[in-house]
Amino acid sequence: MSNPSKGARLGLGEPWQSMLNDFCAAHYNAPERDMIRAALDFFIQNRLDAEPEVKKRFEEARRKRLGLSDSVVRIVPKNE
């Protein structure tokens, strides 16, 4: 079974911590980290698909965090 003490630091509380422990155990003793990553991937994509305004804010926050701008840069090959 997955180590229930590891998940305690997540502060999930009950019943979520027990549900995570049980699911990890049922899923070939998968690490909590892997299950949480998969759940986040699914949840985030689901919400972005369902809520265009959230998607805009998400993309803006991501651009800001990565230091990207909205401007378009055209890359011209050497032979042009």
Side-chain angles (χ1 to χ4, degrees):
M1 182 170 92
S2 66
N3 184 350
S5 65
K6 283 185 178 180
R9 70 173 172 246
L10 298 173
L12 297 176
E14 291 299 334
W16 299 278
Q17 185 58 58
S18 292
M19 288 170 40
L20 178 60
N21 293 341
D22 297 343
F23 188 78
C24 288
H27 204 272
Y28 307 104
N29 290 320
E32 291 175 342
R33 171 196 67 238
D34 294 351
M35 295 297 95
I36 292 168
R37 286 176 177 168
L40 282 171
D41 287 344
F42 176 81
F43 180 78
I44 289 171
Q45 191 59 57
N46 178 274
R47 297 321 318 145
L48 296 179
D49 291 344
E51 300 181 47
E53 289 301 316
V54 171
K55 184 174 183 174
K56 286 180 191 175
R57 293 192 304 268
F58 173 82
E59 290 171 348
E60 175 59 30
R62 189 175 185 102
R63 278 193 302 275
K64 185 182 279 188
R65 179 180 55 82
L66 295 173
L68 303 174
S69 69
D70 290 333
S71 60
V72 176
V73 176
R74 182 171 178 248
I75 299 175
V76 180
K78 284 174 68 172
N79 58 1
E80 273 190 37

